[in-house]
Amino acid sequence: MADNRRALGAAGERLAAHFLTKSGYRILARNWRYGSAGELDLVAADGDCLVAVEVRTRRGQSYGTPEESVIQSKQARLATLAAAYAAETGWSGPIRVDVVAIHLATDGSLREINHVRDAVDGSHTL
């Protein structure tokens, strides 16, 4: 079961990276870890803005939408990780946290990609 979830997540991250690249973003890092504090799925540049991207992939909606799964505690962790990435790399421009929600049909086919910009309240002021 964990392998299936991992494979689903990896597939979603590939779709999200492709989507963002086609939208003009530059991918800076994938699966960036900050010790035991957590991981950023993708880190991208949108012009002069650093974007920490949380990718959520769901097959069907029996457990809710991918967007709904980014709860407040996860949002706070993402903001902290984005600031840590900026500090570690010397980023001095604006920062924000986005969510890319991958909606798959129960058969695994892509239904929709929803890009939620500035998904964490106040993330642009980190």
Side-chain angles (χ1 to χ4, degrees):
M1 180 68 150
D3 287 338
N4 287 343
R5 266 192 26 223
R6 206 168 293 139
L8 180 65
E13 289 172 10
R14 283 190 302 274
L15 286 167
H18 179 74
F19 172 84
L20 291 170
T21 300
K22 287 189 69 114
S23 298
Y25 289 62
R26 188 168 44 98
I27 303 300
L28 304 175
R30 295 173 188 247
N31 305 115
W32 180 81
R33 291 203 63 76
Y34 186 62
S36 62
E39 177 181 291
L40 293 173
D41 295 330
L42 299 171
V43 180
D46 178 20
D48 69 343
C49 188
L50 179 74
V51 185
V53 182
E54 176 68 6
V55 180
R56 290 295 173 111
T57 307
R58 291 282 165 90
R59 187 179 289 134
Q61 290 192 6
S62 58
Y63 294 104
T65 68
E67 296 88 344
E68 293 170 334
S69 72
V70 185
I71 61 175
Q72 193 169 20
S73 59
K74 179 66 172 183
Q75 292 176 21
R77 189 172 318 117
L78 291 168
T80 299
L81 290 168
Y85 181 91
E88 185 174 285
T89 61
W91 188 274
S92 60
I95 304 167
R96 72 170 194 263
V97 177
D98 290 3
V99 172
V100 174
I102 309 292
H103 296 261
L104 301 176
T106 54
D107 67 0
S109 61
L110 179 62
R111 286 184 45 225
E112 177 185 16
I113 296 178
N114 184 22
H115 180 194
V116 182
R117 291 174 49 103
D118 220 359
V120 175
D121 291 336
S123 67
H124 58 285
T125 60
L126 293 174

